[in-house]
Amino acid sequence: MCLQRALSGAGLTTVLCCLSLYAQGPATTQQPAKPVAPSGATLIFDDASLGLRFGYPAQMVKDTSAAGASEEARRCLHALLSIRTRPPACDEHSGCTEEQLSAPFASLSLLEFDRSCVSNDEWQNHDRLLASLTKTLYTTPGAEAIGKPLVYDYGGELSSQKMHMGAVKLPEKDPLGKTHFVVRMNIATMVHDRAVLWVIQANNHHQLNYLEKTKVSFDGKPPVALFPLDIQEKSDTKGAGSQQ
């Protein structure tokens, strides 16, 4: 079963392993070829009801890899945006080569968690709910934590926008049977009493750090990097905020 209890309390279920379906890409090597630097062209995600606006690389394409998510997962997680780097053009008959499977890969999904999936009391505990959404990463089979889950104030100490972040390194097996690694991070916050979650994944730090630093604006305020630090595989990721 893809949905599991993440917090104690009757009736509370949050998406754990199903989150990975919104950030899947081809299993790739731990040290892929040097990625192509993102061009200056960007597209804009702008949701007036959320007061949320941010840019992303124009060369990224729509990601349909979550199409097989369970009905319950689709009910509890709504994809507002799901994009990825363009997949390799593998041969229709022979499949992908090792070089193609080693190509730099990155994806970004913006998801909204449906409040009907939890009780009203559980919804009101925003910090606990957001912590649950980010800590799902650490229960994924084979996950290796990159530092501890963090809570930080978006845009500095005077900001009222509290962000929860978690990051892990995950093993994935490619079609050729080789096990490689990707880095995945979840960033969650409440916007106008709505829970939103960024799921970012990449097999190279260049693109991961590019996506995590996408400039995000809440309610027309000056845009600031989504996550201010660089994620490193063996780093404790210090200095971003208090630890949970």
Side-chain angles (χ1 to χ4, degrees):
M1 185 176 180
C2 206
L3 292 176
Q4 304 176 15
R5 292 184 182 277
L7 301 174
S8 60
L12 177 59
T13 56
T14 55
V15 175
L16 292 182
C17 61
C18 291
L19 282 174
S20 64
L21 292 173
Y22 289 91
Q24 284 182 340
T28 49
T29 59
Q30 187 173 357
Q31 293 181 326
K34 184 177 180 181
V36 177
S39 68
T42 59
L43 297 178
I44 301 297
F45 173 86
D46 192 348
D47 189 316
S49 64
L50 282 171
L52 182 61
R53 177 184 174 90
F54 65 92
Y56 58 90
Q59 68 267 36
M60 298 188 81
V61 298
K62 184 177 180 181
D63 188 0
T64 59
S65 62
S70 70
E71 181 178 347
E72 190 173 10
R74 290 194 298 268
R75 182 177 73 85
C76 292
L77 282 174
H78 307 294
L80 305 179
L81 176 70
S82 189
I83 54 175
R84 55 158 294 161
T85 49
R86 191 175 299 277
C90 299
D91 185 89
E92 182 178 352
H93 302 290
S94 60
C96 297
T97 65
E98 184 173 353
E99 183 178 1
Q100 287 172 317
L101 292 172
S102 301
F105 160 80
S107 68
L108 179 149
S109 293
L110 177 65
L111 311 174
E112 180 174 359
F113 182 76
D114 196 316
R115 67 179 301 164
S116 69
C117 291
V118 296
S119 71
N120 187 61
D121 288 343
E122 291 157 341
W123 180 265
Q124 295 305 319
N125 192 336
H126 290 171
D127 276 338
R128 196 178 186 194
L129 177 65
L130 296 176
S132 173
L133 289 174
T134 54
K135 291 178 181 178
T136 58
L137 286 174
Y138 300 95
T139 63
T140 305
E144 179 182 330
I146 301 176
K148 297 180 180 180
L150 296 176
V151 179
Y152 61 97
D153 293 320
Y154 181 81
E157 295 180 357
L158 299 180
S159 172
S160 60
Q161 192 70 42
K162 185 178 291 186
M163 315 290 284
H164 289 247
M165 190 282 291
V168 298
K169 184 171 70 173
L170 289 170
E172 290 190 355
K173 184 170 290 188
D174 68 25
L176 300 179
K178 293 185 178 181
T179 299
H180 308 293
F181 295 90
V182 296
V183 175
R184 185 176 300 158
M185 62 189 301
N186 286 0
I187 301 175
T189 192
M190 298 296 298
V191 185
H192 300 297
D193 202 36
R194 293 164 65 181
V196 295
L197 172 73
W198 282 266
V199 180
I200 300 173
Q201 176 177 277
N203 69 343
N204 64 92
H205 288 105
H206 176 86
Q207 289 176 317
L208 178 77
N209 290 327
Y210 184 87
L211 289 177
E212 75 181 30
K213 288 177 175 55
T214 182
K215 300 288 187 178
V216 180
S217 173
F218 293 97
D219 292 326
K221 296 178 181 178
V224 179
L226 180 61
F227 186 69
L229 301 181
D230 289 350
I231 290 292
Q232 299 294 336
E233 285 181 14
K234 297 182 179 180
S235 168
D236 290 333
T237 319
K238 298 178 181 179
S242 60
Q243 294 185 346
Q244 284 282 93

